[in-house]
Amino acid sequence: MKKYFYILFFLFSFSFSDLINPENASTLNYIHVLFEWEQESYASTYNFQLDTSLNFNNPIVDINNESLIYIDTENINWETTYYWRVRPVDINGASGEWIDTLSFTTGSTRSNAYSINYNDNQYSNGVTIFSSFFNYYSAMIDQNGDEIWNTGSSELVYYNTDFNGQLFGCQLDNSLEHNIPGVEFDIDSNILWQEPNEDFFHHELIKLKNGNYLGLVEELQPGPVAPGPWSAQFQAIGYLADGVTPELFWVGDRIVEWDKDTNEEVWSWSVFDYYSMQDYDIEGETWYQAFYDGRYDWTHVNALYPVYDENDNIESIYLSCRHLSRISKVNYESKEIDFNLGREMASGDVNCGEDIGFSFPHSVTVLDNGNIVTLDNGNLSTLWLDTEYSTSRALELSVTETENSCEASIEWEYSLPEELFGFASGNVQKLDNGNYLIVTVGDGGTALEVNTQKEHVWEGKLNLQLPNGAVYRASRLSGLYPISYSVILNDAIIENNNNYLEVLNNDSVANFSITIYNEGSSAEQFHWEIGQESGDTEYLNPGENFIINNNQNLFTNQELLSLGQITISLTPKNRIDLKKDITINFIEVQCDGEFDCSGECNGDAYLDECGQCMCGLNSDPDLYECDDDDECEQGCDGEWYSDLSELPIEDECGICNGNGITEGFCDCNNNIL
């Protein structure tokens, strides 16, 4: 009978209870639910049941599951109480006792969103997360427009994600001087990190590959009231408005990198240091707004995108500057601007892209090929592009850097219809299947999926507020649980939360293995370390598993008994914070019979004529060092060979390993005919 040990971890804290997640009597703000439990000794599979009745007379779900996680995406509804339980099933199909029975209740929906499916076959798989700035909440909907997650009563606004399960945004907190601090949060609306709140944070928060956080804060410096049609209004209330005298605060932006542990600022970049104050908007009515606000919203940077080198060090940062209608690439090390793309202004600092004509852009991402994807809000499209009405566009731009300059062109574009014009916020995401998700405040907030032929595939109607719903951003995620996995230590005994393997006291190569199950909705690769050895698994698609064993012959049984225990480390490549160290304790077991050649007590593996250890009918090559593919053959010289490329055979003249009839001869006696 096989014995198993489990290791399990995801976005939740490791628990020593038998049933781990959801916690008993918890309230969940989602209906795609991940269930997890500890492994039982002697279990081959687990019987999982879910019901709305504590009696389980007619379970909604009744399945046998090989691993330690089950994710239900189809059977759970909002505002309902559920009960769940798990029991082990051994290799012979016999069920053990129920480990426990727990309950949970689902909360209420937050949105009134729905969807329109134009082409099911071209939909890029996953769920769509969006956020609302008027109501301060975030939610996810599936392809059918059904809400599957929200932030509950927490006033969290989604900004960004790493697409691997980490969520970033802001939280309304009116007790603070700066009332929408940047935060990292999880699907249960727990705050995992918050920026220091020393300045007004806005628009963007990104977790860098080094673990630090990158975001935007306001920075104010005095400047003049620029000359223009608005000058008389300013002069009427006492300003000189001469274009020279610094008498009005200009609001700029500073990019800040915060240390993940100390929250200290470790790097920053200010628009006041690298943009010219000769450049400002004169057509978008920002100066008229300044008259009412008492300060000038100069740059309004609204998006960042870091690019890394081959060693995962930041190489550059792209930024979207709304009020200068500009996208800039900043060298991280020197802080100098590599190029400015967009509308030329008085300084002459723009290098390329003026003919593209985007205005008041929002969002910026950089594809693997270097192309830039952005949303052109198009506030000035009637002036700059002579459009019939104010038109927002999704743009993919090809940019080629030249010496001290650049060249830019439109690789792909889609102009939204008039009713979907988005004067503010929004974004564009290029999806895994090549489609584009275009997000706009138009028509109450809309997320529109369009294919490369500009055909509508799917439309999410977010119903936030008419005519312009304050959707900030939306993104297509692979699922609510992109990276989730469980690990089983095969043949283990679990006692008091310790993991034991029985080891024979001999010098045979030790047989131990672990099985990794990818439970998440995204493909993932895992890095493993055993002693001084390490390696990587192949990429595992959702639902696949991978076995790591002692096939490097790292340890003999006696070495393991001498060590007493070893630690196996596993790290998901895209979520290093989910690293898990598995400690295995080894106990000696005596064999009451004989060891076979694979090291199994009373096993039926055998040595073939070549001296190879071959698996018997009951041997498991994944657990023991035996071969189930016998390639041993006897040569004409009477010897046995395992390398068949070296196997000697008789030639046509009957000579062992002979040359046969050579060129110029016609018989085996070398007689020329």
Side-chain angles (χ1 to χ4, degrees):
M1 180 178 296
K2 289 187 177 179
K3 306 168 188 177
Y4 292 83
F5 164 72
Y6 102 108
I7 292 292
L8 174 64
F9 50 99
F10 177 56
L11 297 178
F12 311 97
S13 300
F14 186 79
S15 170
F16 293 105
S17 61
D18 290 327
L19 301 184
I20 299 174
N21 190 78
E23 293 183 358
N24 193 37
S26 57
T27 299
L28 308 182
N29 51 295
Y30 41 89
I31 59 172
H32 286 190
V33 179
L34 181 148
F35 299 90
E36 56 180 334
W37 53 90
E38 290 189 356
Q39 186 181 354
E40 292 276 311
S41 298
Y42 309 111
S44 176
T45 61
Y46 295 87
N47 180 213
F48 170 88
Q49 290 186 352
L50 175 72
D51 204 351
T52 55
S53 169
L54 187 56
N55 296 323
F56 291 91
N57 292 327
N58 187 23
I60 300 169
V61 179
D62 186 356
I63 62 165
N64 276 20
N65 200 59
E66 182 179 348
S67 65
L68 304 164
I69 289 178
Y70 168 70
I71 299 175
D72 191 289
T73 61
E74 298 178 353
N75 300 290
I76 297 174
N77 298 314
W78 293 101
E79 300 182 9
T80 307
T81 296
Y82 293 91
Y83 302 90
W84 66 288
R85 60 185 183 179
V86 177
R87 61 181 171 181
V89 180
D90 70 20
I91 196 171
N92 298 312
S95 298
E97 296 294 323
W98 294 107
I99 296 173
D100 203 349
T101 300
L102 303 184
S103 70
F104 66 92
T105 300
T106 53
S108 303
T109 59
R110 288 292 307 268
S111 75
N112 295 308
Y114 66 94
S115 69
I116 304 169
N117 286 280
Y118 299 103
N119 189 329
D120 288 344
N121 294 328
Q122 293 189 18
Y123 177 83
S124 185
N125 290 332
V127 297
T128 302
I129 183 173
F130 66 92
S131 54
S132 168
F133 247 122
F134 284 161
N135 304 108
Y136 289 96
Y137 76 89
S138 303
M140 292 185 197
I141 58 174
D142 63 15
Q143 182 180 358
N144 297 319
D146 296 326
E147 186 173 323
I148 63 105
W149 169 88
N150 62 56
T151 47
S153 60
S154 301
E155 295 179 300
L156 288 161
V157 178
Y158 164 78
Y159 282 178
N160 213 334
T161 180
D162 66 345
F163 296 96
N164 295 310
Q166 296 180 306
L167 303 174
F168 311 95
C170 72
Q171 182 177 36
L172 179 64
D173 185 349
N174 289 321
S175 69
L176 299 176
E177 177 184 0
H178 308 296
N179 67 341
I180 50 171
V183 296
E184 178 184 357
F185 60 98
D186 64 19
I187 62 171
D188 290 298
S189 299
N190 297 310
I191 303 302
L192 306 179
W193 182 87
Q194 180 174 310
E195 49 89 13
N197 201 236
E198 295 170 349
D199 301 286
F200 183 77
F201 167 90
H202 63 95
H203 278 96
E204 187 70 282
L205 183 63
I206 295 169
K207 193 170 188 177
L208 301 172
K209 290 187 177 181
N210 63 8
N212 291 346
Y213 294 83
L214 192 74
L216 287 165
V217 297
E218 281 188 352
E219 185 171 17
L220 280 68
Q221 289 192 18
V225 175
W230 50 82
S231 298
Q233 288 179 268
F234 280 94
Q235 290 166 348
I237 59 173
Y239 288 92
L240 295 177
D242 58 5
V244 177
T245 305
E247 55 184 341
L248 179 73
F249 275 116
W250 285 34
V251 182
D253 301 286
R254 190 159 57 91
I255 306 172
V256 179
E257 179 184 350
W258 292 283
D259 182 270
K260 62 182 182 298
D261 299 315
T262 66
N263 274 21
E264 293 179 353
E265 186 177 305
V266 296
W267 184 93
S268 68
W269 184 93
S270 172
V271 295
F272 285 105
D273 296 330
Y274 295 94
Y275 282 172
S276 170
M277 292 177 72
Q278 298 178 64
D279 296 343
Y280 48 81
D281 167 57
I282 59 174
E283 298 169 289
E285 301 189 354
T286 54
W287 279 106
Y288 291 105
Q289 188 63 44
F291 174 78
Y292 293 104
D293 293 342
R295 63 182 204 165
Y296 178 54
D297 190 2
W298 175 37
T299 49
H300 200 104
V301 174
N302 53 35
L304 303 172
Y305 194 91
V307 174
Y308 302 87
D309 63 19
E310 63 275 6
N311 297 315
D312 288 342
N313 298 312
I314 304 177
E315 194 171 66
S316 56
I317 297 172
Y318 288 72
L319 63 94
S320 166
C321 182
R322 172 180 169 85
H323 286 171
L324 297 185
S325 297
R326 178 182 300 181
I327 293 172
S328 301
K329 179 185 178 185
V330 175
N331 184 289
Y332 178 80
E333 183 175 356
S334 70
K335 299 188 179 181
E336 296 296 330
I337 294 175
D338 289 340
F339 65 74
N340 287 314
L341 165 69
R343 184 73 168 180
E344 185 61 278
M345 292 187 175
S347 69
D349 289 342
V350 169
N351 305 103
C352 60
E354 183 171 18
D355 58 325
I356 295 172
F358 62 79
S359 56
F360 285 39
H362 212 283
S363 85
V364 60
T365 55
V366 182
L367 306 180
D368 290 341
N369 63 3
N371 285 358
I372 295 173
V373 175
T374 188
L375 177 70
D376 170 18
N377 279 134
N379 293 38
L380 303 175
S381 68
T382 56
L383 296 176
W384 294 2
L385 298 174
D386 196 28
T387 59
E388 183 179 350
Y389 50 83
S390 295
T391 303
S392 299
R393 294 182 296 168
L395 295 174
E396 180 178 339
L397 306 177
S398 174
V399 182
T400 302
E401 294 186 57
T402 59
E403 187 175 357
N404 300 320
S405 189
C406 59
E407 297 175 357
S409 60
I410 296 176
E411 188 84 6
W412 184 89
E413 69 176 315
Y414 179 83
S415 297
L416 291 170
E418 184 174 7
E419 68 273 14
L420 294 185
F421 167 68
F423 74 99
S425 67
N427 65 289
V428 180
Q429 177 190 355
K430 191 164 188 180
L431 302 172
D432 291 342
N433 66 354
N435 292 349
Y436 298 82
L437 186 69
I438 308 168
V439 183
T440 170
V441 299
D443 198 26
T446 302
L448 178 67
E449 183 175 348
V450 177
N451 64 21
T452 54
Q453 289 75 42
K454 304 182 182 181
E455 299 166 331
H456 290 194
V457 173
W458 177 88
E459 189 170 0
K461 307 304 292 184
L462 307 181
N463 269 332
L464 296 177
Q465 182 169 325
L466 293 173
N468 295 302
V471 55
Y472 179 65
R473 281 184 188 160
S475 304
R476 180 69 49 78
L477 313 179
S478 65
L480 191 56
Y481 309 98
I483 297 182
S484 171
Y485 63 104
S486 58
V487 181
I488 288 178
L489 176 58
N490 299 308
D491 256 16
I493 301 170
I494 298 92
E495 184 176 341
N496 296 325
N497 298 311
N498 292 315
N499 321 312
Y500 297 93
L501 281 179
E502 296 175 334
V503 178
L504 298 166
N505 191 359
N506 60 23
D507 59 0
S508 298
V509 174
N511 294 299
F512 61 85
S513 66
I514 61 173
T515 303
I516 304 172
Y517 294 86
N518 183 7
E519 317 276 8
S521 53
S522 296
E524 183 60 305
Q525 185 180 34
F526 299 87
H527 178 75
W528 58 264
E529 296 179 6
I530 305 175
Q532 300 300 314
E533 300 295 324
S534 63
D536 297 318
T537 70
E538 60 192 37
Y539 266 94
L540 303 182
N541 291 318
E544 292 184 340
N545 63 70
F546 188 87
I547 295 175
I548 299 174
N549 53 34
N550 188 33
N551 56 10
Q552 287 84 12
N553 300 334
L554 302 177
F555 303 100
T556 66
N557 288 332
Q558 289 176 341
E559 288 172 336
L560 290 180
L561 288 174
S562 176
L563 290 170
Q565 63 177 216
I566 63 170
T567 298
I568 300 176
S569 297
L570 293 169
T571 307
K573 281 296 187 72
N574 291 304
R575 286 293 302 274
I576 60 174
D577 58 306
L578 296 182
K579 176 186 176 183
K580 186 65 182 183
D581 293 326
I582 307 167
T583 299
I584 310 171
N585 299 284
F586 297 96
I587 54 177
E588 181 179 347
V589 60
Q590 299 295 330
C591 180
D592 57 1
E594 295 183 356
F595 299 110
D596 65 14
C597 60
S598 72
E600 182 178 5
C601 179
N602 293 323
D604 61 352
Y606 61 92
L607 291 174
D608 66 9
E609 289 82 352
C610 296
Q612 300 177 122
C613 186
M614 305 305 300
C615 297
L617 293 176
N618 299 312
S619 301
D620 187 343
D622 291 329
L623 298 178
Y624 294 96
E625 293 294 321
C626 59
D627 195 342
D628 57 0
D629 185 12
D630 193 350
E631 292 188 345
C632 181
E633 291 189 21
Q634 188 175 28
C636 58
D637 59 357
E639 301 294 329
W640 292 87
Y641 293 84
S642 58
D643 185 351
L644 300 187
S645 66
E646 298 179 356
L647 182 70
I649 58 175
E650 290 185 352
D651 64 12
E652 59 265 49
C653 297
I655 300 174
C656 184
N657 217 24
N659 295 323
I661 300 174
T662 58
E663 186 177 354
F665 298 92
C666 63
D667 64 17
C668 293
N669 296 318
N670 293 335
N671 295 317
I672 300 176
L673 299 179

